Amino acid sequence: MSLFSAWEVSATGLAAQRMRVELLVQNLANSETTRTPEGGAYRRRDAIFHSEPLPASFRTLLEGRLGEPLVGVTVAEITVDESDPERRYLPGHPDADGEGYVGFPRVNPVEDMVDLTAAVRSYQANLSAMSAVKELLQRSMDLLR
Amino acid sequence: MLGPTGTLLERYLDLLAARQRVTASNIANADTPGYRAREIDFRAEMQSLLYQAVPGAPYLPITVRQSWAEGAKNDGNNVHLDREMKALSENVLRFSVASLLLQRQIRGLRNAIQEGRGG
């Protein structure tokens, strides 16, 4: 295993965090959406992370050295919130039901903003790990000079 | 050709690269529920490294163990991002020093070869 595999691990981290950010932004944008193609109010979506071993390279298999676990992260699934929409009394609204209530998505913008900040921080941490690996590779290349 | 010091430095760089991979895994999984952080016992590995410093000595694989540190979150994940970032920057510094030393060794060898050629 070379240093490049560490790079790949960080890349999986970046991809997973980006996915999380995309879903959070989607939730925030749709926090007041009452109409969706599926019908009814928007339902929030969340990414579920799962750690997954990187496929072993040919060389590690050849050397029989599999003792060192190297795990990346993937988005295992995207959960769709199935809870009932929040009912607000808005009789004049075109989406209001017979009693004058409109279903609104159960999205708490404050919660999502906090989560968004955490996701961005995690993304930055993965980027730092990547640039550290780059630094190590450059130092290795200096040996050739 | 580089002698015991060269072998030692080479294995040291290997150890640092292994730690880099472990740290990268931990950082990537900082938000994965149930993930347990992995770590390398640096002191123990360094000691076994010193025994391996003889040229041609068998290569002992580096053991990675699970960290039993208390997690800060309630989802079973015990990665501490600050600790990992510290390991990351420490690794880069150690790697720079070791590769610089190795570079000097190689340069010394090259100088010896060139002097021999010139004479």
Side-chain angles (χ1 to χ4, degrees):
Chain A
M1 278 198 250
S2 68
L3 273 172
F4 285 104
S5 49
W7 230 1
E8 249 160 74
V9 169
S10 297
T12 65
L14 287 182
Q17 297 296 346
R18 185 181 41 77
M19 183 63 143
R20 182 175 163 205
V21 168
E22 276 172 9
L23 291 176
L24 286 170
V25 169
Q26 187 181 318
N27 289 343
L28 278 171
N30 285 292
S31 62
E32 305 280 333
T33 305
T34 52
R35 281 181 208 173
T36 52
E38 309 93 71
Y42 172 80
R43 292 178 183 280
R44 62 166 300 129
R45 283 157 174 82
D46 284 293
I48 306 295
F49 286 177
H50 174 71
S51 58
E52 196 178 71
L54 276 198
S57 68
F58 176 70
R59 204 176 139 225
T60 41
L61 287 175
L62 194 70
E63 289 172 355
R65 276 199 283 137
L66 287 167
E68 197 182 308
L70 195 67
V71 282
V73 62
T74 51
V75 176
E77 59 169 321
I78 294 167
T79 55
V80 180
D81 181 25
E82 292 299 337
S83 61
D84 289 330
E86 189 186 315
R87 278 156 60 86
R88 281 189 216 160
Y89 186 63
L90 289 169
H93 199 284
D95 293 327
D97 59 11
E99 296 165 32
Y101 284 97
V102 183
F104 274 90
R106 284 215 181 265
V107 175
N108 184 350
V110 179
E111 215 172 82
D112 277 5
M113 285 309 292
V114 172
D115 215 14
L116 196 61
T117 314
V120 170
R121 288 281 171 271
S122 297
Y123 192 91
Q124 282 171 340
N126 278 296
L127 265 184
S128 303
M130 255 181 160
S131 57
V133 173
K134 203 167 109 187
E135 183 98 24
L136 298 196
L137 288 169
Q138 259 158 3
R139 292 275 166 267
S140 309
M141 278 194 282
D142 284 347
L143 289 177
L144 293 174
R145 288 197 188 133
Chain B
M1 203 187 247
L2 288 168
T5 319
T7 318
L8 185 63
L9 283 172
E10 192 192 314
R11 302 253 156 120
Y12 183 57
L13 289 178
D14 261 352
L15 175 60
L16 289 174
R19 188 155 83 150
Q20 188 68 39
R21 288 194 290 268
V22 170
T23 312
S25 292
N26 288 344
I27 292 173
N29 284 288
D31 295 317
T32 311
Y35 176 84
R36 307 297 292 179
R38 291 171 169 92
E39 61 184 13
I40 289 174
D41 187 349
F42 210 71
R43 185 193 293 249
E45 292 297 337
M46 255 329 270
Q47 261 162 3
S48 85
L49 212 66
L50 289 173
Y51 290 116
Q52 290 173 50
V54 200
Y59 187 95
L60 296 175
I62 295 156
T63 37
V64 179
R65 62 178 190 192
Q66 233 177 43
S67 158
W68 294 104
E70 207 65 45
K73 289 173 261 179
N74 59 0
D75 59 359
N77 185 311
N78 67 343
V79 177
H80 290 270
L81 213 50
D82 39 5
R83 216 175 279 174
E84 301 301 333
M85 297 317 277
K86 174 232 153 213
L88 206 63
S89 46
E90 188 192 322
N91 241 14
V92 172
L93 286 176
R94 282 179 187 270
F95 201 96
S96 307
V97 172
S99 71
L100 209 62
L101 287 172
L102 199 56
Q103 206 178 339
R104 288 290 136 85
Q105 282 246 319
I106 293 168
R107 194 172 292 168
L109 193 66
R110 197 195 287 158
N111 280 344
I113 293 168
Q114 269 161 2
E115 289 301 313
R117 201 191 281 159

